[in-house]
Amino acid sequence: MDLPQHQETVPVAVLLSVYNGAAFLNDLLTSLKQQTHTNWVLLWRDDGSTDASIKCMHQFALDVGIQRCRQITSSPAHLGVVLSYATLLKDVPAGFFVAFCDQDDVWFPDKLERGLKALTVTQKPALYCSRQRLTDTKLRPISISPQLPPNPCFQMALTQNIATGCTIMLSPAAVSLLQANFPPPNHILHDWWAYLVITGADGTVITDNRPTLFYRQHDNNAVGAPALFTQRALAAIRRGPWQFMFIFRDNLAYLGKQPYLSTNNRHFVDALHRVLSQSGLMGRWHRWRMLQHSPKLRRYTWPEQIIFRLWFLLG
């Protein structure tokens, strides 16, 4: 696709799934109006709110104009977060970039601008993601999210998700790819699936270690963001090898059927299937050998990598 020379003419669809977010929505919506890149349209749907969320959104539409704030109503009332974003993605017009958006965050003014600058350097399907400033409900700083790895690839995407949904931006080629391959399989959120699909097709993932937003942490977060490596490793230990490997195998089974996988990535998925189908000591030996010969099949930090290797061998 030939991108416009002047970045300000590049259109961005901001996707927002709303669910009982009235306490935080005004802060988010104000930060959208303050974006330095102004060529955006907000596509939103309500997922069954019982508070004043819809009223907040309708007021915002009056403020910015109904052409810039479009409600998507072509689906049942409550879908859950994954299918809600999948539904919104289907309504993105051709040629638009996309930014996923959470109702309780506050964007930095240059969030869209920085993402676009990163994405417009490639014609391939591309995903941009960044770190976040973690805060409490009153936006008081807690910490910063973990550092992101450079040049993530498909094998890394199989082991963990490093692309937090509220920071993700997608190129038009990535949007088209995801529109053709939603919804994701069970046990996986929309952001990890986007990361898997784009890397699986040999697309580009661009990580930005400068935060782009304030990410509120509270009891109603859909996922939340443990800030410390030790917290994340302990969470993996509590889940145990069988739960992790069940999800790992489920993702592999789904990915193995997808036509968009590159040849090399398809061969790797097939090799993983063969190794994981073997049991007993010989099966453990083949798994160990695969880990030794697949250095990119890894998690980013060493505590998480140790846990991943144990789970891969035992689960």
Side-chain angles (χ1 to χ4, degrees), residues 93-111:
F96 273 62
F97 289 72
V98 154
F100 289 133
C101 184
D102 284 357
Q103 64 186 8
D104 45 8
D105 300 329
V106 175
W107 286 13
F108 296 174
D110 62 348
K111 182 182 186 299

Side-chain angles (χ1 to χ4, degrees), residues 76-293:
H78 185 69
L79 296 175
V81 62
V82 178
L83 290 180
S84 189
Y85 278 103
T87 300
L88 289 165
L89 196 71
K90 290 178 183 177
D91 276 84
V92 175
F96 273 62
F97 289 72
V98 154
F100 289 133
C101 184
D102 284 357
Q103 64 186 8
D104 45 8
D105 300 329
V106 175
W107 286 13
F108 296 174
D110 62 348
K111 182 182 186 299
L112 290 179
E113 180 183 350
R114 282 167 51 190
L116 286 172
K117 284 181 179 178
L119 289 169
T120 52
V121 300
T122 178
Q123 303 296 310
K124 296 169 65 175
L127 178 153
Y128 163 92
C129 59
S130 76
R131 298 171 81 182
Q132 315 98 52
R133 289 282 179 190
L134 310 184
T135 75
D136 66 11
T137 56
K138 298 184 181 297
L139 296 177
R140 291 177 295 214
I142 297 174
S143 62
I144 188 171
S145 63
Q147 185 156 331
L148 299 172
N151 305 315
C153 64
F154 178 65
Q155 293 183 30
M156 295 171 65
L158 289 171
T159 69
Q160 70 179 144
N161 180 36
I162 55 91
T164 302
C166 57
T167 73
I168 286 177
M169 290 186 64
L170 305 167
S171 70
V175 173
S176 297
L177 183 62
L178 289 169
Q179 286 174 328
N181 291 285
F182 261 83
N186 296 328
H187 317 298
I188 192 170
L189 290 176
H190 58 288
D191 48 7
W192 194 3
W193 186 238
Y195 179 34
L196 279 167
V197 170
I198 290 163
T199 54
D202 281 345
T204 301
V205 174
I206 303 157
T207 55
D208 185 351
N209 276 303
R210 296 178 300 158
T212 57
L213 53 81
F214 293 119
Y215 187 15
R216 277 191 174 101
Q217 302 296 289
H218 54 82
D219 292 341
N220 295 322
N221 281 115
V223 178
L228 301 175
F229 300 150
T230 51
Q231 287 180 285
R232 297 176 0 154
L234 287 172
I237 291 171
R238 284 194 295 269
R239 287 193 296 270
W242 294 275
Q243 181 180 352
F244 172 81
M245 289 306 296
F246 176 80
I247 296 172
F248 190 84
R249 286 187 171 93
D250 192 58
N251 289 346
L252 287 178
Y254 196 98
L255 286 163
K257 302 173 185 176
Q258 304 309 310
Y260 59 80
L261 281 186
S262 68
T263 300
N264 287 340
N265 288 334
R266 184 169 302 281
H267 288 333
F268 190 76
V269 167
D270 291 343
L272 277 173
H273 273 301
R274 289 193 298 272
V275 166
L276 292 175
S277 68
Q278 301 173 37
S279 59
L281 290 177
M282 187 58 68
R284 301 287 185 271
W285 168 250
H286 285 299
R287 292 188 197 189
W288 174 255
R289 292 286 293 170
M290 185 155 204
L291 288 173
Q292 297 304 107
H293 289 90

